Amino acid sequence: FRSSIAADLALLVEKDTSVAGRARTNAMLEEMKEEGYDGYSHVYLALGTIYESRGNYRIARYYFEKSIYNLPSDDKVGRMSLYSRMAYLLMFHNPVDAKIWNDKYQEESKSYPPYRQIYLFINCMIDFTVNNKHDFEQAFKDYREYMSEHSDLDHFGDDMVEIAQLAFNEKYEVALSKLNKSKNASFSDLNKYDIKIIIYKMMGNR
């Protein structure tokens, strides 16, 4: 019954974006609470992910924060995952807050290579967003060195940090061409659009 409610809730959010739909979502959350459902963190994460995919970052952030609040205190890996999701969500739109969330798991990530990869990648993209070439060069160096030592990782962010480096080196057309040709499924069209906007701003500031 509980898993059925969670599935129905996700489907409702996916299909109905109206005010009435959000009201029904809240009603179902209340029903879950009354039934003693104990998987709130996962449900809120799913809701945040759906809104993130739509580009509704404000509501996505709200649900990610709810997911963090409802996460068991001893779930270290889950906490790193959610902190990194928050930082990733905000890195192009609110880099100051993104930096705060990213730094929350800085020390712990040193013992978990997949999260260290994410931490270093997001650092690069935050510096790219705020057009801080000096800090980006160090972040880029740290990222490349770490990834060269961990060939077993998926290297999901390699092409995007390389695009950022090209833009900082004023090779804007090459960066845009590489971005347009990218088949990296880890980045949505919205992410790529955000990167494109940043490059165009850098071109205008020459």
Side-chain angles (χ1 to χ4, degrees):
F1 177 69
R2 292 177 181 178
S3 60
S4 175
I5 291 178
D8 289 345
L9 179 60
L11 180 62
L12 173 61
V13 174
E14 187 72 39
K15 299 293 185 182
D16 193 343
T17 61
S18 67
V19 173
R22 288 197 295 272
R24 286 193 290 275
T25 299
N26 291 332
M28 292 181 75
L29 285 169
E30 285 300 315
E31 183 179 350
M32 291 165 64
K33 183 176 181 180
E34 291 172 3
E35 292 294 327
Y37 185 83
D38 57 2
Y40 274 107
S41 182
H42 298 293
V43 173
Y44 286 131
L45 175 60
L47 294 174
T49 301
I50 291 169
Y51 281 106
E52 178 185 21
S53 69
R54 294 175 178 168
N56 195 329
Y57 301 121
R58 181 180 63 83
I59 296 181
R61 177 175 183 170
Y62 168 79
Y63 281 120
F64 284 162
E65 288 177 339
K66 296 275 282 185
S67 182
I68 292 169
Y69 178 79
N70 283 274
L71 193 71
S73 59
D74 60 348
D75 189 349
K76 181 186 296 186
V77 174
R79 199 160 298 278
M80 281 194 295
S81 176
L82 287 168
Y83 287 162
S84 65
R85 287 297 300 274
M86 281 290 288
Y88 186 95
L89 174 74
L90 299 171
M91 63 185 179
F92 295 132
H93 302 277
N94 190 336
V96 174
D97 283 2
K99 178 68 174 172
I100 293 171
W101 284 105
N102 209 39
D103 285 348
K104 284 180 181 290
Y105 66 102
Q106 176 184 4
E107 287 302 318
E108 290 181 334
S109 71
K110 292 177 181 178
S111 302
Y112 296 85
Y115 287 104
R116 191 64 178 174
Q117 172 187 205
I118 296 169
Y119 168 79
L120 295 170
F121 164 75
I122 293 176
N123 263 355
C124 288
M125 301 316 289
I126 289 172
D127 291 331
F128 171 60
T129 300
V130 300
N131 199 9
N132 187 334
K133 184 176 182 179
H134 178 270
D135 286 356
F136 174 83
E137 288 177 347
Q138 184 60 53
F140 181 78
K141 180 174 180 288
D142 291 343
Y143 177 85
R144 292 296 295 270
E145 287 181 354
Y146 191 80
M147 298 311 293
S148 68
E149 297 168 359
H150 294 82
S151 59
D152 55 316
L153 295 175
D154 60 17
H155 290 246
F156 78 95
D158 284 9
D159 56 345
M160 293 305 160
V161 297
E162 289 168 5
I163 287 168
Q165 184 194 41
L166 287 168
F168 272 123
N169 290 334
E170 299 187 2
K171 298 179 180 180
Y172 303 116
E173 297 303 328
V174 178
L176 290 169
S177 176
K178 186 177 179 67
L179 179 63
N180 289 331
K181 293 177 182 177
S182 174
K183 303 297 184 182
N184 193 331
S186 297
F187 298 90
S188 68
D189 289 341
L190 289 173
N191 295 147
K192 294 173 183 176
Y193 184 72
D194 289 331
I195 293 172
K196 189 174 293 187
I197 288 174
I198 293 168
I199 294 174
Y200 282 135
K201 285 181 178 178
M202 295 170 75
M203 293 171 68
N205 290 334
R206 284 185 296 180

